[in-house]
Amino acid sequence: MGIISFILIGSSLVFPAVALWALWWAGRHGQLTHADKASLLPFDEQEPVGRMTDVVLNRPKASTAAPGGVAR
Amino acid sequence: MSSPATPGVLAALSPRDADTSADRRAELAEIDASTSGTVLLFFLAGMVWLLIGTVFALLASYKLHAPEFLAGEAWLTFGRIRTAHLNAVIFGFSAEVAVGVMLWLMCRLCRVPLMAQSVINAAALFWNVGLTLGIVGILKGDTTGVEYLEMPKYATPILFVAFALIAVWTIVIFRFRREKHLYVSQWYLLAAVLWFPWLYSTAQILLVLEPARGTVQAAVNWWFGHNVLGLWFTPIGLAAIYYFLPKVIGRPIHSYYLSVLGFWTLALFYNWNGFHHLVGGPFPAWMITISIVASVMMIIPVVSTAINHHFTMVGHFGKLKYSPTLRFIVFGAVSYTVSSLQGVASSVRWFSEVAHFTHHTVAHAHWGMYAFFTMTMFGSMYYILPRITQREWPSERLISIHFWCTALGIILYVAPLSWGGWLQGKAMLDATVPFLDVVKITLPWLKLRTLTGLLLAVGHVAFFVNLVWILARRFGPYRQPEPMILAGVTPATPAGK
């Protein structure tokens, strides 16, 4: 059990330490600020804000405008 | 030191064009194409396990009110079938689909193609070999008897190696990200791939390989059992919601700060929650009390997440009409809030003393793992599959059948069973009620559970048919009559089709 205890106690110390380091790293590299930029990360030029990206059901005819500004 | 002419191992694994400007964004279609085979492999294997797990579930549920059914075969007895169901849907369906969604999300958010797919494909193969051995072992009677870790010890090392490969590869993808700023989904995904190997290896060592003694076993069991849901499946489910909800409706998340607060408070409080399952057991009261306090503190991440999701959706509920992804994701997000608050209530002593050891706990587990996580994964697959197969969903009707059968099925499963479990608990605490009468109290709820299980099964089959259909289209002739509706990733018609 000696080695196993060492591994378990070690991991119990390492994981919180990694979490603290991650929090420190995030703060240092601006990951906890610049919220405006971060919230836009799922979007880009190809799939911009304001464009719905999953119109599968009840689709309007191709010739008509998509409802509510929905982009097809 | 390596010279510039001899790149290191990590550099050798990097995407071919990783030396371009960090601002340059890979084409989404290129990224989706790179993940295609691997993600499909995980999704398809996961869905096969879901169907197998559903059959086990129906058999187990039926046996609860008809115990003589198939009672003559040892490998079909309730203890084995129910355990096989749990492992098939947790480590088969949920884990595999979660890995598929995680890889796709990580590649998209890091804006890098999936590199050296054969490594991850090998991990998928290992995972399924280990899981098959484990499920067969359970049916043979080789179970360890430890909840959530029932698979025999000859199967679990294979699973661990497979997951270690997946975790390392996810970190490699992250290492080569082109987008330096992290989105909250990436925080959740990275934490999940680090937490699960820690949980799994620690629990395996202390419960199976070198078993601890006495109450430590119970402590480790519930530390693992609760955290595998809250620190592995929950982060991946929330990562998916935080990505797909804004993405589908085309609106950024309401408050990015709230999302970060939700992540860090989940990381801080969830790890302590498991011991509330031991209320009333032979276990140090102070440890249970700490666990209850941490469970109540979970209100912070849950409510902050709920506020964020709700205010992101405000004004966009009409879009539920068009998007299957949005339907499933919103259902999952609401269920996350409800099941988490139900979990907070269940941790309190007076509530737990009634509800524990009853069907109420079973209902709660399904509220979290199905209504939240599984529905979120279904929604994610509805978004991802057309993009990696370059084909639209073949049947709107099957999508509707899938959604309504699973949504109604799980509501009708969970709500009555929660109430039935509560009645069961109250009766069990009444010394004047004979135990057989307690069993009779549960019968109507158990029969309803089997019926709703059938409804869920119909939904699963409908989705599987649509999945096979979309794959058949992928490998068949190109029959797309209209331009793809996948805004932003409209592919060119394949040459020669």
Side-chain angles (χ1 to χ4, degrees), chain A residues 4 8 11 15 26 30-32 38 41-44 46-47 50 52-59 67 72, chain B residues 27-28 108 111 180-183 198 205 210 247-248 250 257 321-323 325 383 387 392 396 485 487-488:
Chain A
I4 290 172
L8 294 175
S11 70
F15 270 80
Q31 300 289 344
L32 302 179
L41 287 174
F43 305 97
D44 55 28
Q46 295 176 326
E47 295 177 347
M52 188 178 177
T53 57
D54 189 56
V55 184
V56 175
L57 303 170
N58 305 302
R59 280 179 284 171
R72 300 183 66 230
Chain B
E27 293 295 321
L28 294 181
R108 270 222 166 186
R111 301 194 189 284
K180 295 303 177 190
H181 210 293
L182 304 191
Y183 187 58
W198 180 37
I205 290 169
E210 292 281 347
K247 186 77 174 172
V248 171
Y257 289 119
K321 183 180 175 186
Y322 305 105
S323 168
T325 300
Y383 195 92
R387 284 155 178 80
E392 295 197 55
E396 288 187 35
I485 56 146

Side-chain angles (χ1 to χ4, degrees), chain B residues 433-455:
Chain B
V433 180
F435 185 74
L436 196 57
D437 289 353
V438 178
V439 174
K440 287 176 181 171
I441 288 172
T442 64
L443 280 179
W445 313 101
L446 296 178
K447 289 175 182 172
L448 181 59
R449 170 183 168 163
T450 301
L451 289 176
T452 54
L454 284 170
L455 206 54

Side-chain angles (χ1 to χ4, degrees), chain A:
Chain A
M1 279 295 284
I3 293 175
I4 290 172
S5 300
F6 179 76
I7 292 170
L8 294 175
I9 293 170
S11 70
S12 302
L13 296 174
V14 165
F15 270 80
V18 170
L20 286 174
W21 175 82
L23 189 57
W24 172 82
W25 177 88
R28 185 179 166 84
H29 288 83
Q31 300 289 344
L32 302 179
T33 54
H34 310 302
D36 290 344
K37 181 182 178 187
S39 64
L40 294 174
L41 287 174
F43 305 97
D44 55 28
E45 301 84 359
Q46 295 176 326
E47 295 177 347
V49 173
R51 189 171 192 182
M52 188 178 177
T53 57
D54 189 56
V55 184
V56 175
L57 303 170
N58 305 302
R59 280 179 284 171
K61 298 291 183 189
S63 57
T64 58
V70 171
R72 300 183 66 230

Side-chain angles (χ1 to χ4, degrees), chain B residues 71-310:
Chain B
E73 297 290 336
W75 64 280
L76 287 174
T77 48
F78 177 81
R80 298 188 192 180
I81 283 285
R82 181 260 174 198
T83 308
H85 153 69
L86 185 142
N87 281 269
V89 294
I90 292 275
F91 296 106
F93 168 74
S94 300
E96 295 208 50
V97 172
V99 169
V101 170
M102 179 176 72
L103 291 171
W104 187 86
L105 278 178
M106 195 54 104
C107 288
R108 270 222 166 186
L109 286 166
C110 291
R111 301 194 189 284
V112 290
L114 182 63
M115 57 212 82
Q117 297 93 334
S118 54
V119 175
I120 296 284
N121 295 344
L125 184 67
F126 276 124
W127 187 270
N128 283 290
V129 169
L131 191 61
T132 304
L133 275 176
I135 301 280
V136 171
I138 288 168
L139 291 173
K140 275 176 60 190
D142 288 348
T143 174
T144 63
V146 180
E147 188 149 14
Y148 291 110
L149 289 170
E150 292 95 343
M151 281 189 274
K153 62 171 76 172
Y154 50 76
T156 48
I158 305 172
L159 290 172
F160 183 80
V161 169
F163 191 80
L165 274 175
I166 291 165
V168 168
W169 225 240
T170 306
I171 293 167
V172 168
I173 294 167
F174 179 75
R175 162 69 179 76
F176 290 110
R177 69 190 186 280
R178 290 172 183 159
E179 176 58 63
K180 295 303 177 190
H181 210 293
L182 304 191
Y183 187 58
V184 65
S185 297
Q186 287 164 292
W187 281 109
Y188 279 113
L189 296 176
L190 284 171
V193 296
L194 292 175
W195 279 328
F196 183 72
W198 180 37
L199 293 167
Y200 197 67
S201 59
T202 302
Q204 282 290 337
I205 290 169
L206 284 179
L207 294 175
V208 180
L209 300 179
E210 292 281 347
R213 293 179 183 176
T215 55
V216 177
Q217 283 196 0
V220 176
N221 191 183
W222 279 110
W223 174 77
F224 173 78
H226 209 261
N227 285 338
V228 78
L229 305 182
L231 296 179
W232 163 234
F233 292 117
T234 297
I236 294 177
L238 289 178
I241 293 172
Y242 270 117
Y243 182 84
F244 290 114
L245 198 63
K247 186 77 174 172
V248 171
I249 66 176
R251 178 190 197 181
I253 198 77
H254 169 70
S255 166
Y256 190 77
Y257 289 119
L258 267 185
S259 68
V260 173
L261 174 73
F263 169 76
W264 284 102
T265 47
L266 176 93
L268 183 61
F269 296 129
Y270 202 98
N271 183 41
W272 305 75
N273 281 204
F275 300 158
H276 70 228
H277 283 272
L278 298 166
V279 168
F283 198 72
W286 67 271
M287 291 177 75
I288 295 173
T289 302
I290 287 176
S291 182
I292 293 171
V293 171
S295 301
V296 175
M297 294 300 281
M298 280 299 295
I299 289 174
I300 297 172
V302 170
V303 171
S304 61
T305 303
I307 290 171
N308 225 358
H309 292 165
H310 177 72

Side-chain angles (χ1 to χ4, degrees), chain B residues 290-372:
Chain B
I290 287 176
S291 182
I292 293 171
V293 171
S295 301
V296 175
M297 294 300 281
M298 280 299 295
I299 289 174
I300 297 172
V302 170
V303 171
S304 61
T305 303
I307 290 171
N308 225 358
H309 292 165
H310 177 72
F311 282 101
T312 303
M313 273 300 292
V314 166
H316 294 263
F317 284 102
K319 292 176 180 173
L320 288 167
K321 183 180 175 186
Y322 305 105
S323 168
T325 300
L326 198 59
R327 288 185 187 183
F328 281 95
I329 292 285
V330 167
F331 190 98
V334 173
S335 299
Y336 170 70
T337 307
V338 176
S339 67
S340 298
L341 293 179
Q342 185 197 18
V344 171
S346 300
S347 71
V348 179
R349 277 191 169 85
W350 71 265
F351 194 105
S352 186
E353 282 165 3
V354 177
H356 202 194
F357 304 125
T358 71
H359 295 295
H360 187 95
T361 306
V362 178
H364 173 60
H366 283 79
W367 207 218
M369 271 311 291
Y370 197 101
F372 158 52

